[in-house]
Amino acid sequence: DLSRGSRKAYEKLAIFGDVRARRGSELKVLSAVEAKVPGYFFSIHAEVVNRDKYADSTRTWGTDTMTFQAEELSYALGKQGGTRRKLER
């Protein structure tokens, strides 16, 4: 939605750090975008999940995803996001 003040349809974001920290930050940003533009993550899912595959020094790094049903999602997030924060560690 360009009516909110931004004149661009997208913005670029640079994320620095090791592979794990970058992926965590990227997923947090994508979560915020998904909340505002439902379906966006699905449209770029393959690119995002495979972007840094085997990029760490041990060549074992990867990202797995799973789809939650509505009732599973509220449980996974937990009260005030508590479970989500535990899973992030």
Side-chain angles (χ1 to χ4, degrees):
D1 180 17
L2 299 178
S3 65
R4 292 187 173 199
S6 176
R7 303 222 191 288
K8 296 180 182 179
Y10 66 91
E11 295 287 334
K12 288 187 178 185
L13 174 66
I15 302 173
F16 300 95
D18 64 13
V19 176
R20 183 182 174 108
R22 286 195 316 265
R23 177 50 52 95
S25 296
E26 178 181 32
L27 292 174
K28 280 189 172 222
V29 169
L30 286 170
S31 177
V33 170
E34 183 68 22
K36 293 190 176 277
V37 185
Y40 179 77
F41 180 76
F42 183 75
S43 71
I44 62 166
H45 175 268
E47 174 192 347
V48 170
V49 170
N50 294 316
R51 179 176 298 131
D52 291 323
K53 193 169 189 176
Y54 307 127
D56 66 330
S57 60
T58 63
R59 306 283 297 151
T60 58
W61 175 257
T63 301
D64 290 328
T65 63
M66 60 188 307
T67 303
F68 287 107
Q69 300 300 320
E71 62 276 1
E72 295 170 318
L73 184 60
S74 63
Y75 174 77
L77 294 175
K79 185 177 180 182
Q80 297 179 341
T83 307
R84 178 187 52 82
R85 283 191 296 278
K86 288 178 187 175
L87 292 172
E88 288 175 352
R89 292 186 230 160

